Amino acid sequence: MHPTIRPQPGLLDIALYEGGQARVEGVSNVVKLSSNENPFGAPDRAREAFTRAVHSLHRYPNTDHLSLRQAIGEIWGLDPARIICGVGSDEIIHFLCQAYAGPGDEVIHTEHGFLMYKISALAAGATPVCVKEAERVTDVDAILAACTERTKLVFLANPNNPTGTMIGNGEMARLAAALPPQALLVLDGAYAEYVQGYDAGASLVEARDNVVMTRTFSKIYGLGGLRVGWGYGPQHVIDVLNRLRGPFNLSTVALEVAEAAVRDQEFLTRCRNENARMRGWLAEALADFGVPSDPSFANFILARFADAEEAQACDAFLKERGLIVRMVAGYGLPQCLRITIGDEPGCRRVAHAIGQFKGVRE
Ligand SMILES: *Cc1c(COP(=O)(O)O)cnc(C)c1O
């Protein structure tokens, strides 16, 4: 630490976020199953929009994101005036913390919740509060019991990463209704498109004035490298977040490619169906090898091993074979590995290798 020049309190408590590993030294032909990316990449229409955008690189982007917000509104049946677009949903999470939480305030996240909630809370000078889950499932009563008059934000990913579990609409509504009056509920729907018929909390946003929903183009739309996400909330919240948002936070390329992607409904349906098929297959294959997982609603499964040592050994075994999965000790799950649902060859390779690993250990 510098003797006289000091950052704001809380900043040095932030543990840097580490993305999923992408390479193994000395191994070619790796399968990356560590970042919940879409194995099929981006939709064709998005790739075409990317190519077209090369002609307007010298132009500043528009500042109101109107065309993208209208497209999102049209597809999901939402009011474009209450949508805000950001550099990934990470930026929306960041705005929410900057806007609503500061020194002395508490920000609730769940035991195995997404690490960005804690990071953004600390960046705002607020105090993150970790609430226990019930066997890797969000526990609404535990969250309510943790609320105080200092609670400003409650972050809940549904389905959750890295557990893959989710709670129902009734539980979400019960949570929203029972929060203290100064607290905002943030429903993170990064994986919502993988759950057929699930509105990610949109109707709860419509019905109340204390619920915000966040969404992303990084997962099912296959655009993690582009960095586009969005939020939907009551007008009073969106009006505040827009004051924090840089006018040019999204590039012309990002805006145009994301718009093409959201309009490709057929791509979404195809990816959701294929994900469900391979997720079921992989979970069953691993269970047959003695590696259980909770029923997952997302594009990954959380494989449970006997203990942390076995999970680590399996991770190393997979890596040697060019299979990169995610260790989740940082999420309080040292005995687990999170495995993204790849394409069929990817799923077969990882299942085969885990079978070998278990065989060798017996
Ligand atoms: C991947 C993920 C996101 C998406 O982050 P982006 O910044 O939009 O890429 C948000 N929340 C959760 C829980 C995630 O797993």
Side-chain angles (χ1 to χ4, degrees):
M1 214 197 295
H2 191 276
T4 50
I5 302 172
R6 297 281 172 81
Q8 289 290 314
L11 293 186
L12 290 173
D13 298 331
I14 296 176
L16 291 185
Y17 184 89
E18 286 182 47
Q21 199 182 324
R23 263 173 287 280
V24 190
E25 208 167 333
V27 183
S28 56
N29 188 22
V30 299
V31 181
K32 186 185 177 206
L33 302 172
S34 56
S35 296
N36 299 342
E37 294 151 342
N38 187 332
F40 306 109
D44 285 340
R45 289 208 227 170
R47 295 171 200 236
E48 288 156 20
F50 187 92
T51 310
R52 278 196 305 277
V54 77
H55 301 295
S56 49
L57 289 179
H58 60 301
R59 303 281 182 208
Y60 267 92
N62 68 58
T63 59
D64 62 11
H65 306 160
L66 182 63
S67 187
L68 176 57
R69 288 188 292 110
Q70 281 175 335
I72 293 169
E74 219 177 279
I75 296 296
W76 296 110
L78 306 173
D79 175 8
R82 289 186 286 131
I83 294 172
I84 178 171
C85 302
V87 180
S89 45
D90 280 2
E91 193 179 37
I92 309 296
I93 294 167
H94 204 72
F95 290 158
L96 284 161
C97 288
Q98 292 290 318
Y100 291 100
D105 295 333
E106 293 171 354
V107 175
I108 288 180
H109 62 87
T110 60
E111 186 181 1
H112 310 299
F114 190 41
L115 290 174
M116 287 311 299
Y117 309 146
K118 184 178 177 185
I119 290 174
S120 289
L122 287 169
T127 306
V129 174
C130 178
V131 173
K132 281 271 179 233
E133 297 181 19
E135 292 287 312
R136 299 170 301 281
V137 180
T138 297
D139 182 340
V140 166
D141 290 311
I143 293 174
L144 290 173
C147 286
T148 71
E149 70 280 0
R150 292 181 301 278
T151 305
K152 294 297 180 69
L153 289 161
V154 174
F155 282 102
L156 180 60
N158 204 40
N160 186 45
N161 170 22
T163 58
T165 60
M166 75 184 291
I167 59 170
N169 287 337
E171 283 294 272
M172 292 191 330
R174 186 165 76 85
L175 176 58
L179 286 181
Q182 77 288 350
L184 199 52
L185 173 62
V186 183
L187 296 170
D188 180 338
Y191 302 96
E193 294 86 356
Y194 286 104
V195 187
Q196 190 162 11
Y198 173 52
D199 78 354
S203 54
L204 204 55
V205 173
E206 303 293 4
R208 307 192 53 88
D209 63 0
N210 67 341
V211 181
V212 177
M213 161 179 88
T214 63
R215 304 283 286 271
T216 184
F217 282 92
S218 302
K219 303 291 156 58
I220 205 165
Y221 292 106
L223 294 173
L226 197 69
R227 313 303 305 130
V228 188
W230 51 282
Y232 188 61
Q235 198 69 58
H236 73 95
V237 172
I238 300 302
D239 287 347
V240 170
L241 302 189
N242 269 323
R243 287 171 162 77
L244 286 169
R245 182 176 70 79
F248 301 113
N249 63 330
L250 289 181
S251 69
T252 312
V253 184
L255 291 165
E256 290 179 4
V257 174
E259 183 178 339
V262 78
R263 291 192 183 281
D264 198 338
Q265 299 259 62
E266 195 206 319
F267 176 84
L268 185 137
T269 306
R270 196 154 22 95
C271 292
R272 182 180 56 219
N273 290 344
E274 187 59 10
N275 178 72
R277 185 175 79 87
M278 291 318 299
R279 182 181 61 202
W281 181 86
L282 183 63
E284 218 171 285
L286 298 196
D288 286 346
F289 298 135
V291 180
S293 56
D294 298 312
S296 168
F297 292 87
N299 65 338
F300 54 84
I301 60 173
L302 185 69
R304 291 204 307 279
F305 292 84
D307 50 30
E309 186 271 325
E310 192 186 41
Q312 265 176 36
C314 186
D315 181 68
F317 186 92
L318 293 174
K319 233 159 234 152
E320 284 166 19
R321 285 153 186 79
L323 293 156
I324 308 175
V325 301
R326 184 67 157 259
M327 298 239 266
V328 282
Y331 286 90
L333 296 161
Q335 76 285 23
C336 298
L337 296 178
R338 191 191 70 192
I339 307 171
T340 301
I341 307 303
D343 58 10
E344 183 160 347
C347 288
R348 287 190 184 276
R349 258 178 79 177
V350 79
H352 179 72
I354 290 175
Q356 273 186 321
F357 169 78
K358 291 296 276 190
V360 169
R361 286 177 75 90
E362 261 151 29

